[in-house]
Amino acid sequence: MSVSDLDVFHDRARSNWVRHQTLVTLRWFAIAGQIAAILVGVYAFHLQLEIGLATATIGASILANLFSTVLYPTGKRLSEREATLILMFDLLQLGLLLYLTGGLNNPFALLLLAPVTIAATFLHFQGTALMGAMAILLITALSRNYLPLRTEAETILQLPPLFLFGTWVSLVTGVVFLGIYARQVTGEMHDMSAALLATQNALAREQKLTDLGGVVAAAAHELGTPLATIKLISGELLFDFPPGTDAHDDLTTIRAEADRCRDILRSMGRAGKDDTLLRRAPLETVVREAAEPHANRGKVLKVLISPEAFNPGQQPVIERRPEIIHGLRNLIQNAVDFSATAVYIEMEWTGDRITLRIADDGQGFPPSVFGRIGSPFVRRRRADEVQPLRPGYEGMGLGLFIAKTLLERSGARLGFSNGGARIIGGPDAPLGSGAIVVVDWPRSAVDAVMQDGGAPLAENKRFEA
């Protein structure tokens, strides 16, 4: 999924997040609460309120709910403009009701925070900012202009000026803080959702390629006999027609095309990825398969076995899972993109751990993103940090996120640091701090021999059309 595709996904999803019925239901709860508060104030505390105006204000909200329920079908998802207008209406209705019932002296003034918080969860920045500004204006107006609350004995219920000012400050602070907080948390959740979708697409694509390789291998095997028969019969018929005749030329062409079909199928299906035997491979084989697409990009790509490896002559045999290959491929691509001349992949294993270190001799991870490596949509990396090395790169961090997610799914733990080239390549490595990514698995999570105890492999399954 490209950057532009994800931006479109963000816009469409964010503008169609909320159903109209959800806001209608919330408004019914608000109406019930307002009616209950008025009744308790009048009959339990004997407050003198503008019952007629308050009833008309609540009635307007009821009519708006009934009208919108008839106007919009069930399940209607609101556009940005529709959702903004509905929330503005709710905010103004609540502000008018508070004006009639004591302004900020009314403890229910706290509810002015609700529409702003709701807006921050699904509106774009402009809509959220507009709601916040309107809420602050209402709070400021209600601190000075309101109909006072009076008891049956004509006593006015109001806060001392200092407490009233404190209430205004707390409400304005609440609008700003809750709006920013709700928007930030919701944005991160949305980014994670989009990134996980991209991860699932990447894994599905890798799985399809794996399956396709197996299908091609099976096709090559099944078509081998018919092609051999065609070649044999055409070869025998060649003796019946002298060279130079049309029949001899046609049979020669048939024989050559049969050879060509055999070579094509052999080339396409040479990996035989769905063969039971080849679902597992030595660690170095899997690493080199992941690195293969980036082996000829003008950078030196070295795969090394650490001197600290346990029994270096006997590599672990691991499972060739799509998530492992795709995750390592993303990490290697990132290293090649940002390296100066070389990338080093060091393998190390013990009796219970398997560790890979992928390092480059580039500039390393920039300090501006170091604390957020592996998180999706890292947009704050300065353009001058990446553009000379990777033209067109938009710095979203999505590739690293996909790699981290897929490898963690296989049981790995990842670590990111700088100084990798000199650590792995030794004193002969080119200058430059370089970046290093450590991928560490419990051996039991990926070691094929440990998982099945060295039992015989299962029978190859037949591909179904």
Side-chain angles (χ1 to χ4, degrees):
M1 183 178 288
S2 67
V3 177
S4 58
D5 290 339
L6 285 168
D7 289 339
V8 172
F9 177 82
H10 270 259
D11 292 340
R12 290 180 178 175
R14 204 164 182 80
S15 63
N16 293 307
W17 261 13
V18 66
R19 292 188 308 128
H20 171 256
Q21 187 61 40
T22 301
L23 293 184
V24 167
T25 302
L26 290 175
R27 186 183 285 166
W28 282 125
F29 279 111
I31 290 170
Q34 292 169 1
I35 292 175
I38 294 293
L39 292 177
V40 170
V42 171
Y43 293 104
F45 296 102
H46 306 290
L47 299 177
Q48 296 185 18
L49 303 176
E50 294 290 341
I51 299 297
L53 294 176
T55 301
T57 303
I58 297 174
S61 188
I62 294 174
L63 290 176
N65 244 14
L66 295 175
F67 178 75
S68 60
T69 301
V70 174
L71 181 64
Y72 292 120
T74 304
K76 158 77 173 177
R77 293 196 176 271
L78 298 173
S79 66
E80 175 86 6
R81 183 171 179 271
E82 292 169 337
T84 302
L85 290 175
I86 288 176
L87 290 174
M88 279 185 178
F89 173 84
D90 290 337
L91 186 62
L92 291 173
Q93 189 264 354
L94 181 59
L96 179 58
L97 196 59
L98 288 171
Y99 168 79
L100 298 172
T101 56
L104 297 191
N105 297 291
N106 189 329
F108 288 104
L110 181 67
L111 293 176
L112 288 169
L113 301 177
V116 179
T117 305
I118 294 173
T121 60
F122 63 88
L123 293 183
H124 290 118
F125 175 77
Q126 293 85 349
T128 303
L130 181 60
M131 290 291 299
M134 182 175 292
I136 291 174
L137 288 175
L138 276 175
I139 292 169
T140 303
L142 290 172
S143 66
R144 296 178 176 275
N145 303 284
Y146 55 86
L147 298 181
L149 285 172
R150 299 177 184 273
T151 64
E152 195 174 22
E154 295 296 329
T155 301
I156 296 178
L157 301 177
Q158 62 182 8
L159 295 172
L162 181 61
F163 280 89
L164 187 64
F165 176 74
T167 300
W168 177 84
V169 171
S170 66
L171 288 175
V172 171
T173 303
V175 167
V176 175
F177 174 77
L178 288 178
I180 294 174
Y181 179 80
R183 182 168 182 82
Q184 184 70 20
V185 171
T186 306
E188 290 183 2
M189 291 175 61
H190 192 234
D191 282 351
M192 186 63 69
S193 175
L196 287 174
L197 176 62
T199 303
Q200 292 172 355
N201 290 338
L203 182 58
R205 183 168 57 252
E206 188 68 27
Q207 185 65 55
K208 286 180 180 179
L209 291 174
T210 300
D211 294 342
L212 181 60
V215 171
V216 172
H221 175 74
E222 295 295 332
L223 292 175
T225 300
L227 289 173
T229 302
I230 293 172
K231 184 177 178 180
L232 177 63
I233 295 175
S234 61
E236 292 178 351
L237 290 174
L238 280 174
F239 294 106
D240 297 334
F241 299 95
T245 62
D246 291 342
H248 187 279
D249 293 342
D250 291 341
L251 289 170
T252 302
T253 302
I254 291 173
R255 185 182 177 88
E257 292 301 314
D259 287 337
R260 184 185 174 194
C261 289
R262 179 201 61 197
D263 293 340
I264 290 173
L265 288 170
R266 182 179 298 168
S267 174
M268 292 175 63
R270 66 183 185 274
K273 293 183 179 179
D274 234 26
D275 190 292
T276 304
L277 177 64
L278 295 180
R279 288 181 184 173
R280 55 181 63 188
L283 176 62
E284 184 175 354
T285 302
V286 175
V287 171
R288 290 189 180 278
E289 181 180 349
E292 182 181 6
H294 309 291
N296 298 310
R297 293 181 53 196
K299 307 292 179 65
V300 177
L301 190 60
K302 294 184 178 180
V303 179
L304 312 170
I305 297 178
S306 170
E308 305 296 327
F310 173 74
N311 193 3
Q314 187 174 356
Q315 294 187 25
V317 176
I318 68 172
E319 296 183 340
R320 294 175 64 258
R321 302 181 195 167
E323 58 265 34
I324 293 177
I325 294 174
H326 191 83
L328 292 177
R329 187 168 292 162
N330 272 14
L331 294 179
I332 294 169
Q333 176 185 356
N334 199 68
V336 171
D337 286 341
F338 289 100
S339 65
T341 59
V343 173
Y344 304 89
I345 307 172
E346 183 184 63
M347 304 177 295
E348 181 181 337
W349 57 88
T350 64
D352 57 358
R353 310 293 301 181
I354 295 177
T355 304
L356 293 180
R357 298 181 184 89
I358 302 170
D360 63 73
D361 62 347
Q363 299 177 5
F365 293 113
S368 61
V369 300
F370 207 91
R372 293 173 285 124
I373 296 174
S375 298
F377 309 105
V378 178
R379 297 187 179 90
R380 296 180 186 175
R381 179 182 290 180
R382 298 197 312 269
D384 58 357
E385 293 176 337
V386 297
Q387 293 301 327
L389 298 175
R390 199 172 181 182
Y393 179 73
E394 298 191 41
M396 296 180 69
L398 188 57
L400 278 178
F401 171 80
I402 291 175
K404 185 172 183 289
T405 302
L406 293 177
L407 291 171
E408 287 178 345
R409 176 176 174 172
S410 71
R413 295 179 61 185
L414 276 71
F416 304 89
S417 60
N418 283 332
R422 192 51 72 86
I423 291 173
I424 293 179
D428 295 331
L431 294 177
S433 63
I436 180 169
V437 180
V438 179
V439 186
D440 183 70
W441 288 277
R443 190 157 175 169
S444 57
V446 293
D447 193 309
V449 176
M450 292 182 67
Q451 290 185 354
D452 60 20
L457 299 179
E459 181 181 356
N460 290 339
K461 294 184 178 180
R462 186 177 182 85
F463 286 99
E464 300 293 339

